[in-house]
Structures are given as C-alpha cells and as structure tokens.
Amino acid sequence: MAATCRIPEVSPRCSGSLARVGQTEHLAVVRRLLVHPEEMVRVSAFQALAALAGDDDLLLLRSGMADPSVWVAEHAARGLAAGPGRGLLAAIADTHAPRSRLAREVLIEGAA
C-alpha cells in the first residue's frame, strides 16, 4: 500500500481508506504520512490515526495539534476527543497554549 500512496492526490484517499477499513498493522504507513509535506495528506493521516490509534499514539495525535495547518490541528484534536485522549485534550484546553481554544471548541462540540 505504501507504494501507491506517493502521489499527493492519491495519498489522502489511501489514508482515508485506512481510517475506514484499516487495522493496527497499517499504523506504520499512517505514522509516516503524519509528516508529509502536503496538508491534505496530513489531514487524512490524522483522521486515520484517530481511527486506528491505541494509547501509544496519543502523543502523536497531540503533536498534530502543533501543525502549522489549522485543519491538521483540528483533525488531531478530534482524534484525541474521540477516544482515550479526551483527558489530554481537556488539559490542553485549560492552558494558554496556542491551540487551547481549538481544544475547547472540539470538546464543546463533542459534548453537544
């Protein structure tokens, strides 16, 4: 699968598919795409990571909140909110960190 995910237009589709039907064995591919130069590839990779991640990947989701792209950061925050990372997201929301407002908004949306 990694060989077919080299073209920027195809990579979001690949990682989007991984988010829907992937398994933990695909996490290595997803993790490599988290630092891809194309924004949409990173967005899709964080969506996939959120769907496949275990507790060991919470810090990777947290690191996505520092991405220069607000879209990437939002998907990373949503990934934290959707699972066991909710407490970590709440801790970020209670700070004055650059993405604390985003963390609060995602938590509010999840509670609604």
Side-chain angles (χ1 to χ4, degrees), residues 1-105:
M1 169 143 327
T4 62
C5 290
R6 294 185 191 273
I7 303 169
E9 296 80 23
V10 176
S11 293
R13 291 186 188 137
C14 290
S15 52
S17 294
L18 286 173
R20 289 187 300 282
V21 298
Q23 298 179 3
T24 55
E25 64 198 42
H26 300 119
L27 278 169
V29 172
V30 171
R31 289 180 187 125
R32 283 195 305 268
L33 293 173
L34 296 176
V35 294
H36 195 279
E38 296 288 330
E39 176 185 55
M40 289 309 299
V41 174
R42 294 192 315 277
V43 165
S44 296
F46 276 100
Q47 287 174 324
L49 182 64
L52 301 173
D55 291 345
D56 296 343
D57 293 302
L58 294 179
L59 292 179
L60 285 174
L61 285 167
R62 167 60 180 103
S63 71
M65 290 187 64
D67 194 279
S69 164
V70 70
W71 300 113
V72 173
E74 180 180 343
H75 286 284
R78 290 183 190 283
L80 286 170
R86 192 169 182 80
L88 180 56
L89 188 63
I92 296 165
D94 287 337
T95 68
H96 294 291
R99 301 290 177 144
S100 61
R101 181 177 177 183
L102 172 63
R104 286 189 295 275
E105 290 173 2

